[in-house]
Amino acid sequence: MTDKNVPSTSLVETVAGFTAGVISTLCLHPLDLIKTRLQVDRVSPSRLGSSFRVIREIYRTEGGITAFYRGLTPNLVGNSTSWAVYFLFYGKIKDTIRNTRTFDKDGLGASEYFLASGAAVTEMLGSTGLLTAILTNPIWVIKTRMLSTGSRTPGAYPSFVSGARQILTSEGVAGFYRGLVPALFGVSHGAFQFMAYEQLKAYRSKSTWARNAPASATPGGGADRELGNLDLLIISSLSKVFAGCITYPYQVLRTRLQAYDAALVYRGVWDATRKIWHNEGVGGFYKGLGPNLLRVLPNTWVTFLVYENTRRYLPKLSVGDG
């Protein structure tokens, strides 16, 4: 067997991220729709039970179960593309950091994982990832608008293509970039999440190895210690909750600015922030947090389990084929 039989790290990371994005979106799209409905609601106060009210309204007035999958296409395209590119850059940057170190090349510190995860998103939005940024924000605008209204609502986009056409006709190219500024704050979410995720993985891996290793073994020796799926579920959950609690308000701002009537209600990010604070209080910045947590935790489980297992499986598959 030669190295030709083993897929490149970039390919493995990209395929793993893309697969994770597709599967997680297919499984959890309805919760994303409920969260979006709550985020764009400027009238109802934020309180327990709001999610059930939205679920009942959608089911009764918009066509039953199928209504919960409205806007699936842009969500699927956006998530799969974003995860694929994110994990591609994240893997590359981690490798670069390791290669520049003169010692302990196997493990990175918390600050280095934070740097790698933040730089991965920055790279996606920078010069080398400009095409990705151009493609994804228009997708999120269409997705937000489709999820925020039922298909029977007057003026609602009947499809992804129709939505793109209507935005271009009525708002021009600028319409596709509404909510881009708060979306850029999402860099911090990924940075916090991956910093916590990698640190928890490293801690769990070392503690598992120390518990099972013979007394004469040294921490640097032996085979790689792979974590089980239960470990990954717990670690991904803790890291997601940590990042989500810190950065959630930017999601509300982005959704408000991407809604159908955003141009009539808000003059920009600061105006939206001021009006939400004045009219809805702190709770306004956390509307939809309940369904968001219900969505992001299973979404995180599916994404990271698929990602980690796909990343492990692809090289083994190539070796077996060789």
Side-chain angles (χ1 to χ4, degrees), residues 17-304:
F18 179 85
T19 305
V22 169
I23 295 177
S24 63
T25 302
L26 288 173
C27 293
L28 301 159
H29 180 81
L31 288 171
D32 202 3
L33 184 142
I34 296 167
K35 178 203 72 172
T36 302
R37 294 292 177 91
L38 291 170
Q39 287 180 339
V40 299
D41 185 357
R42 301 192 302 271
V43 178
S44 303
S46 179
R47 60 189 178 190
L48 293 175
S50 296
S51 298
F52 296 105
R53 170 180 56 81
V54 171
I55 292 172
R56 286 195 300 269
E57 290 177 356
I58 294 173
Y59 187 81
R60 291 175 181 173
T61 65
E62 298 180 24
I65 297 296
T66 57
F68 290 96
Y69 281 88
R70 173 167 165 75
L72 177 62
T73 298
N75 206 13
L76 198 59
V77 174
N79 272 316
S80 60
T81 302
S82 296
W83 278 116
V85 177
Y86 185 91
F87 278 118
L88 168 63
F89 284 120
Y90 183 59
K92 282 180 172 293
I93 293 168
K94 281 198 301 182
D95 289 342
T96 299
I97 294 175
R98 285 194 185 96
N99 292 334
T100 58
R101 300 179 71 177
T102 57
F103 60 92
D104 191 22
K105 293 188 180 238
D106 292 330
L108 303 184
S111 61
E112 290 168 318
Y113 281 123
F114 186 89
L115 175 63
S117 54
V121 181
T122 302
E123 188 74 10
M124 286 171 58
L125 298 172
S127 58
T128 58
L130 184 59
L131 180 59
T132 301
I134 292 173
L135 291 174
T136 54
N137 204 78
I139 292 170
W140 297 134
V141 172
I142 300 171
K143 170 222 164 184
T144 295
R145 295 184 181 185
M146 291 187 71
L147 267 62
S148 65
T149 56
S151 60
R152 301 172 184 174
T153 303
Y157 301 155
S159 67
F160 176 65
V161 175
S162 175
R165 188 182 301 116
Q166 288 188 46
I167 291 175
L168 185 61
T169 301
S170 60
E171 303 173 52
V173 175
F176 290 111
Y177 290 92
R178 296 193 181 280
L180 180 60
V181 173
L184 296 179
F185 288 109
V187 171
S188 63
H189 178 93
F192 282 118
Q193 180 184 352
F194 275 83
M195 176 187 69
Y197 180 74
E198 295 289 0
Q199 285 295 102
L200 288 170
K201 270 180 63 179
Y203 173 79
R204 180 59 180 167
S205 181
K206 290 177 182 177
S207 63
T208 301
W209 177 85
R211 186 172 60 252
N212 298 327
S216 60
T218 58
D224 293 338
R225 283 82 66 190
E226 292 186 351
L227 297 179
N229 287 334
L230 180 59
D231 293 313
L232 295 174
L233 282 175
I234 296 172
I235 290 169
S236 60
S237 298
L238 292 174
S239 62
K240 190 65 176 181
V241 170
F242 169 71
C245 289
I246 294 175
T247 63
Y248 185 77
Y250 95 85
Q251 295 188 38
V252 175
L253 285 169
R254 182 183 64 182
T255 300
R256 295 286 181 96
L257 292 170
Q258 291 178 343
Y260 285 101
D261 60 350
L264 301 176
V265 180
Y266 304 118
R267 294 192 299 272
V269 178
W270 175 247
D271 185 52
T273 303
R274 184 179 58 81
K275 286 181 176 177
I276 293 173
W277 176 268
H278 182 266
N279 298 327
E280 304 168 56
V282 176
F285 292 101
Y286 287 90
K287 282 188 172 180
L289 180 60
N292 183 63
L293 289 177
L294 290 176
R295 178 185 69 87
V296 298
L297 287 179
N299 185 45
T300 299
W301 299 336
V302 174
T303 298
F304 281 91

